[in-house]
Amino acid sequence: MRAPGRGQVDVELVEAVGAAAPAVERGADWRELVRRVPRRAWTVVAGVVVLTLGAGGFVEWRAERAQTSRLERIEGLTGSLAAPLTDVWEAPGEGVIGIIGDVLVLYGPEGEGVLGVGLDDGAPRWERSPGGSFGCWFVRGDGGTRAGWWQGPVDVLEPGSAVLACVDSVPFEGVSFPNVVTGSGGASALGPQSEVSVLDPASGAILRRLVLPGSGHPTQIEDSVVAVGLDAEDRLVGSRWSLLTGELAWEYTGPNVGRVAGVSMWSDTETMTWEAGDVSVTLDSRTGDAIDPPSEGEPGESELDRFTLPDGGTAVSSVIDGTGVELTVTDADGTPRFTTTGHAFEPLVDDGTAPHTMLVQPSGGAGIMAVDARTGEDLWRSATPRWASPVVLAGRVVLREKDRVAAVDVHTGETVWEHDDHEPDAGGGLVTDGRTVLILARVDGQTSLVARDVETGEQLWRIPSPVDAGALQPLRDGRVLLSGSRRTVLLAP
């Protein structure tokens, strides 16, 4: 070999006979790897991915279908509130009295009289000036009644199944109406006395007017009206009339009690008591006979309301001796379950997420409480008050007040969410589609329709309200009536 020079080194070469040269590794090419995967394997992988995604989507679809099916069985829900509602029509008058056939009956503009408008188009059907100063209500042929301004869903009655009764006051002297029915007490120099106008709510035709003897304000009992007051000779007089037929059930003439002040009167389905100073008269409201009042110390009972529980039981709230409120719960066959204090109230909507739980207004206390509807055991108490009837949805009791809306856990009573940024006196009512609650609220001086998620309280949308103040009422077909500011608006999804 040549001798090494500058920058050169000696190298010894060794020849290995029969040995293979070492392989040189290259970085793997992913495209080459992909090409090596059999087509059948790719088909299997693709099928697995599709099945996985499809299974997840199918489970979600099934859950949504189950939720939708469950909500369809719940009474009192509106149509979808996922998007803002739109105005269908606007009509004069405010205060929903009821619906018969395709006629919506409202209190008239400026609070005078009553009128009927088309339920689908808001077009006027009839208007009557008499009636309504002291309230109107539907009297059904089966004896049931429905007063205006009720918060729950508005039932649509069949034409001919009910009459409309409206109470006004009229002066005693010179009373003269066609088709007037009066008691033997006649007219007097006293005033005012009560007149009940009975109308056909479908056509507005006046069926009869009942001018009641005496100066007392009438009380509605079942399908009749009862009144007790003084006549021109300072005698205590009373009568009971059928609102459906105009027939006189009984008439009462009692002693001369003189001109008295500080008159009070109270009644229930069985008795009526008139009291002034040392004079007190109690009448049997069915017969008109004078009966002995409850003995001193013996509690008098006046029923406030009753409703049927989901399990078939009955909850009855009554005022006892004019002081406290007592709650009695019985089985469907009348067997007593328990008696406690407080006023039970029925939710506007109940989705069944709180079985055997009954909501109660504590007697003489603020807030709400829950009791076991089977035993009467106190479950929880919350300081959150209620201004209107709540809804029970998704394990929440959503409560509306004048200046806020809140939700409490139906099992614990703990507040889940609350929004108290509303200004008072925007209106009342609360409607829901089962997922969202809609209220009328005034925020930053603007009256708006505000929709919130039931579970989180998150505001989903808010739009200006077509009325400054009013009340929301759901219809059975999913639409919503907004009544206030001397007009009524029909809203729909």
Side-chain angles (χ1 to χ4, degrees):
M1 298 181 61
R2 189 177 57 179
R6 188 181 182 89
Q8 298 177 334
V9 295
D10 292 330
V11 177
E12 182 179 2
L13 297 177
V14 179
E15 184 177 359
V17 180
V24 179
E25 263 194 53
R26 298 183 302 171
D29 188 336
W30 66 270
R31 288 168 293 188
E32 180 65 25
L33 294 176
V34 169
R35 282 194 295 268
R36 292 178 183 177
V37 176
R39 180 174 299 177
R40 178 177 295 180
W42 280 120
T43 303
V44 172
V45 171
V48 170
V49 172
V50 169
L51 287 175
T52 301
L53 295 176
F58 180 73
V59 170
E60 184 177 342
W61 175 80
R62 284 285 300 273
E64 177 64 20
R65 282 291 301 270
Q67 172 76 337
T68 300
S69 178
R70 187 180 68 85
L71 293 176
E72 288 175 349
R73 297 191 297 269
I74 298 174
E75 290 287 332
L77 299 182
T78 70
S80 174
L81 296 175
L85 302 181
T86 58
D87 300 2
V88 178
W89 53 253
E90 179 179 312
E94 66 175 294
V96 176
I97 302 173
I99 301 172
I100 190 157
D102 61 350
V103 177
L104 170 67
V105 182
L106 305 168
Y107 288 105
E110 308 295 331
E112 296 182 359
V114 288
L115 74 155
V117 301
L119 182 59
D120 292 327
D121 57 11
R125 298 289 185 86
W126 56 264
E127 185 172 357
R128 292 283 180 259
S129 56
S133 297
F134 292 99
C136 299
W137 67 98
F138 276 12
V139 183
R140 300 198 305 264
D142 59 7
T145 62
R146 185 193 186 283
W149 298 96
W150 179 248
Q151 298 175 9
V154 185
D155 290 319
V156 178
L157 303 181
E158 292 294 328
S161 66
V163 297
L164 176 66
C166 295
V167 179
D168 280 308
S169 63
V170 295
F172 267 80
E173 291 184 330
V175 175
S176 177
F177 293 109
N179 303 321
V180 164
V181 186
T182 61
S184 61
S188 74
L190 296 177
Q193 98 189 100
S194 295
E195 173 200 42
V196 181
S197 297
V198 181
L199 297 83
D200 176 359
S203 66
I206 297 179
L207 303 177
R208 66 191 64 89
R209 288 190 177 99
L210 308 176
V211 179
L212 306 176
S215 58
H217 190 72
T219 299
Q220 181 266 324
I221 299 178
E222 297 175 346
D223 62 354
S224 300
V225 62
V226 183
V228 178
L230 296 180
D231 67 2
E233 300 176 20
D234 296 333
R235 296 176 302 179
L236 187 64
V237 295
S239 59
R240 174 169 177 160
W241 302 85
S242 169
L243 293 169
L244 296 175
T245 66
E247 295 178 356
L248 175 66
W250 55 259
E251 202 166 21
Y252 168 84
T253 301
N256 184 308
V257 298
R259 295 299 169 95
V260 293
V263 175
S264 61
M265 187 180 73
W266 60 92
S267 63
D268 54 34
T269 57
E270 297 180 353
T271 64
M272 295 190 66
T273 298
W274 187 93
E275 191 173 87
D278 296 331
V279 180
S280 178
V281 176
T282 300
L283 303 179
D284 184 314
S285 61
R286 297 185 180 277
T287 65
D289 296 331
I291 59 177
D292 293 331
S295 303
E296 188 172 347
E298 179 183 344
E301 181 175 333
S302 177
E303 183 176 309
L304 287 174
D305 54 42
R306 65 172 60 214
F307 62 89
T308 302
L309 300 172
D311 62 6
T314 301
V316 180
S317 299
S318 305
V319 176
I320 304 298
D321 204 21
T323 55
V325 179
E326 184 177 86
L327 168 63
T328 301
V329 178
T330 60
D331 291 334
D333 61 1
T335 303
R337 290 186 190 175
F338 63 87
T339 298
T340 186
T341 59
H343 183 188
F345 54 92
E346 188 175 14
L348 291 175
V349 177
D350 187 348
D351 68 353
T353 52
H356 312 302
T357 299
M358 183 166 54
L359 301 177
V360 177
Q361 181 85 44
S363 183
I368 63 169
M369 60 183 290
V371 302
D372 191 309
R374 298 163 298 184
T375 64
E377 175 189 2
D378 286 9
L379 301 178
W380 51 261
R381 291 175 181 255
S382 171
T384 303
R386 73 177 184 99
W387 181 48
S389 295
V391 297
V392 178
L393 295 166
R396 312 277 193 264
V397 181
V398 183
L399 301 144
R400 173 69 203 278
E401 294 185 72
K402 290 184 177 181
D403 56 358
R404 65 174 172 167
V405 60
V408 301
D409 189 290
V410 75
H411 302 292
T412 66
E414 296 180 358
T415 299
V416 179
W417 55 262
E418 180 179 30
H419 294 278
D420 57 359
D421 56 348
H422 302 161
E423 300 169 19
D425 302 326
L430 180 154
V431 297
T432 178
D433 63 0
R435 295 180 173 91
T436 305
V437 291
L438 179 67
I439 63 171
L440 194 66
R442 185 176 289 115
V443 182
D444 299 330
Q446 171 71 57
T447 303
S448 302
L449 291 165
V450 182
R452 295 190 180 276
D453 184 272
V454 168
E455 296 190 30
T456 66
E458 175 190 0
Q459 180 177 295
L460 303 179
W461 52 264
R462 186 174 80 186
I463 59 174
S465 168
V467 304
D468 294 330
L472 292 164
Q473 287 182 281
L475 298 180
R476 297 286 183 185
D477 62 8
R479 295 179 294 178
V480 177
L481 287 170
L482 174 56
S483 187
S485 304
R486 300 177 181 175
R487 60 188 184 274
T488 296
V489 180
L490 181 68
L491 306 171

